[in-house]
């Protein structure tokens, strides 16, 4: 079975299209998911939870386990989980069940796939990739650092990390991979360089999201919620606090992933010369390339200034798609054929719709109260460390950073302050953690869903690398970060 959302059918062979039987291994995985979800579903609700909340938790945990074990393709698991939720009454089909499919953030991901098609169809993406290769193409690691630097430069002015990775960097990654004959089709091909660049970009994006107030949609929400504790996290305060631990993470993570998930194409000494020669052969930009380039730049400006001119990131993305359609750079047929985009819409939209009731039914509040009881009476630094780690791991229950911030950020800061943690480091650390959680699973955020949907990285690889990198970056913020914050007077 395929392990990514690119696998659209049931038991079909991804190479031949032939339908395969549901084998014993898949059956065992399916039974495990059902059993775990059913046990939670049937447990009498503890104090503080309603029966419906317990039922929703059971359905959600069973679905998440299905996404991890993959008895069926990801989108199929999500649809089955949603169906079970509706049948059992845990999900209201008229309200919560389909809310995620109408989320602007999810449609931003879909639009990013179409924008990437424009880069490919015009050849502009290939040209940009060749420029990168001509400068940094001696090694896969060098290319990864070049992309990381670009993400860092763009982050302060791009308040949507999905737009930053999906609309700006992702097309470059796919084009570089294409130049090096690295495609998602086979293990040998994807592991040449595409899988490494994709998973590295995803984890780097989480780091840059944690470094600036305006680097992700959840950042301004964190700033607003922190004011309830009389904490004013200004843009400069967050940037100063995040720059040192963030830069250390950016230096470390590409090299760490290179070690634990290395590309088979490591040294490409001829790549620079080949890239320079091909750039000469391409000649000046074509009319379609110019249109694509101008559209891209206008989108970048609108994304960067969206909060000032009051235009939504998703609106900007679809403005770009509309221009590409009008100029015939992409066609409706191209969009219909983009299985990755539509599969991502289904699996991520369903998960967002399932995660929302966990908040409204009080499941997340109940979990937070349990945590509060565990840390009572401890030194405040230890309390902050424990709460941040809990905050990290509880993201396995959420399908976006913004959803988690809206659901439990205030609760966790309240617990921290009540336990003696100074309000500023509590609010700021949990705010930074809200960015760092964005790469830990294939459904953790919009950028993660997009990278997963591209098909370069298998589920098991995504979860393993996301966990390792997440723990490393959180540890750096909790050690180097807290030390740096002491020096600059945050506590």
């Amino acid at each position: 079975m395929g392990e990514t959302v690119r696998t659209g059918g049931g038991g079909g062979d991804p190479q031949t299209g032939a339908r395969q039987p549901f084998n014993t291994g898949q059956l065992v995985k399916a039974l495990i998911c059902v059993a775990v979800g059913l046990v939670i579903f049937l447990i009498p609700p503890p104090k503080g939870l309603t029966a419906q909340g317990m039922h929703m938790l059971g359905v959600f945990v069973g679905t998440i386990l299905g996404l991890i074990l993959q008895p069926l393709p990801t989108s199929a698991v999500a649809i089955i989980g949603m169906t079970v939720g509706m049948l059992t009454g845990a999900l209201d089909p008229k309200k919560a069940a389909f809310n995620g499919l109408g989320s602007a953030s999810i449609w931003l991901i879909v639009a990013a796939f179409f924008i990437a098609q424009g880069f490919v169809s015009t050849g502009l993406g290939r040209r940009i990739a060749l420029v990168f290769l001509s400068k940094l193409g001696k090694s896969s690691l060098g290319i990864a650092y070049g992309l990381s630097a670009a993400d860092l430069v763009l982050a302060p002015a791009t308040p949507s990390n999905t737009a930053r990775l999906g609309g700006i960097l992702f097309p470059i990654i796919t084009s570089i991979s294409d130049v090096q004959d690295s495609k998602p089709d086979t293990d040998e091909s994807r592991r040449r360089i595409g899988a490494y660049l994709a998973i590295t970009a995803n984890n780097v994006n989480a780091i840059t999201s944690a470094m600036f107030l305006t680097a992700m949609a959840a950042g301004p929400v964190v700033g607003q919620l922190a004011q309830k504790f009389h904490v004013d996290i200004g843009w400069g305060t967050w940037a100063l606090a995040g720059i040192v631990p963030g830069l250390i993470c950016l230096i470390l993570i590409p090299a760490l992933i290179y070690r634990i998930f290395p590309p088979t194409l490591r040294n490409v000494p001829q790549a620079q010369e080949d890239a320079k020669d091909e750039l000469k052969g391409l000649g000046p930009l074509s009319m379609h390339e110019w249109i694509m380039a101008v559209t891209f730049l206008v989108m970048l400006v609108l994304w960067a200034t969206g909060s000032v001119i009051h235009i939504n990131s998703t609106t900007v993305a679809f403005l770009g798609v509309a221009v590409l359609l009008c100029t015939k750079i992409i066609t409706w047929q191209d969009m219909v054929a983009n299985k990755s985009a539509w599969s991502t819409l289904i699996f991520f939209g369903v998960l967002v719709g399932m995660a929302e009731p966990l908040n409204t039914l009080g499941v997340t509040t109940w979990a937070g109260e349990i945590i509060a009881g565990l840390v009572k009476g401890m030194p405040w630094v230890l309390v902050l460390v424990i709460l941040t780690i809990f905050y990290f791991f509880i993201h396995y229950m959420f399908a976006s950073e913004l959803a988690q911030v809206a659901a439990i950020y205030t609760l966790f800061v309240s617990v921290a302050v009540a336990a003696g943690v100074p309000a500023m480091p509590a609010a700021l650390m949990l705010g930074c953690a809200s960015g760092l959680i964005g790469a830990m699973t294939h459904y953790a955020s919009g950028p993660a869903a997009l990278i997963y949907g591209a098909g370069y990285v298998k589920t098991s690889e995504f979860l393993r690398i996301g966990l390792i990198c997440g723990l490393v970056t959180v540890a750096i913020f909790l050690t180097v970060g807290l030390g740096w914050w002491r020096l600059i007077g945050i506590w």
Side-chain angles (χ1 to χ4, degrees), residues 24-36:
T24 303
Q26 291 173 306
L27 180 59
V28 171
K29 292 177 181 178
L31 290 175
I32 291 173
C33 299
V34 172
V36 172

Side-chain angles (χ1 to χ4, degrees), residues 413-434:
V413 177
S414 297
V415 171
V417 172
V421 182
M424 175 60 88
L428 195 51
M429 182 61 72
L430 291 169
C432 292
S434 299

Side-chain angles (χ1 to χ4, degrees), residues 125-317:
R126 186 178 184 87
R127 187 186 292 271
I128 294 173
L130 291 169
V131 171
F132 266 81
L133 289 173
S134 69
K135 304 296 183 182
L136 301 165
K138 288 185 177 180
S139 70
S140 300
L141 184 60
I143 296 171
Y145 276 117
L147 292 170
S148 299
D151 195 326
L152 176 62
V153 171
L154 293 168
T158 315
S160 168
N161 53 5
T162 305
R164 185 166 70 253
L165 181 55
I168 301 171
L169 298 175
F170 178 64
I172 298 172
I173 291 169
T174 55
S175 297
I176 290 175
S177 301
D178 183 63
V179 168
Q180 295 300 324
D181 193 27
S182 180
K183 300 177 181 179
D185 304 331
T186 65
D187 282 348
E188 180 182 2
S189 180
R190 69 182 182 83
R191 287 300 302 272
R192 281 179 63 79
I193 191 172
Y196 168 70
L197 292 181
I199 197 67
T200 301
N202 184 52
N203 282 277
V204 164
N205 185 260
I207 297 167
T208 56
S209 296
M211 293 176 66
F212 304 97
L213 178 69
T214 52
M216 61 173 176
V221 178
V222 166
Q224 181 179 351
L225 293 176
Q227 292 179 3
K228 295 181 179 181
F229 305 93
H230 307 289
V231 172
D232 183 15
I233 307 178
W235 191 95
T237 300
W238 192 321
L240 181 61
I243 194 67
V244 170
L247 285 177
I248 291 174
C249 290
L250 289 176
I251 292 170
L252 179 61
I253 290 302
L256 174 62
I257 299 175
Y258 188 80
R259 184 173 182 82
I260 64 177
F261 189 64
T264 57
L265 184 66
R266 299 191 179 196
N267 298 313
V268 280
Q270 189 60 33
Q272 284 184 312
E273 294 304 318
D274 290 344
K276 291 176 182 178
D277 291 341
E278 188 169 348
L279 279 171
K280 291 180 181 178
L282 287 177
L285 271 69
S286 67
M287 179 59 70
H288 271 175
E289 284 181 291
W290 273 113
I291 294 172
M292 186 70 231
V294 172
T295 301
F296 169 74
L297 290 174
V298 171
M299 289 172 62
L300 180 59
V301 171
L302 292 176
W303 272 327
T305 60
S307 59
V308 177
I309 62 177
H310 305 293
I311 184 169
N312 183 270
S313 296
T314 305
T315 304
V316 174

Side-chain angles (χ1 to χ4, degrees), residues 329-353:
I329 288 175
I330 61 173
T331 66
W332 174 244
Q333 287 71 26
D334 294 331
M335 295 169 66
V336 169
N338 195 324
K339 294 181 180 179
S340 296
W342 301 118
S343 294
T344 301
L345 170 67
I346 294 298
F347 102 85
F348 198 47
V350 168
L351 282 182
V352 169

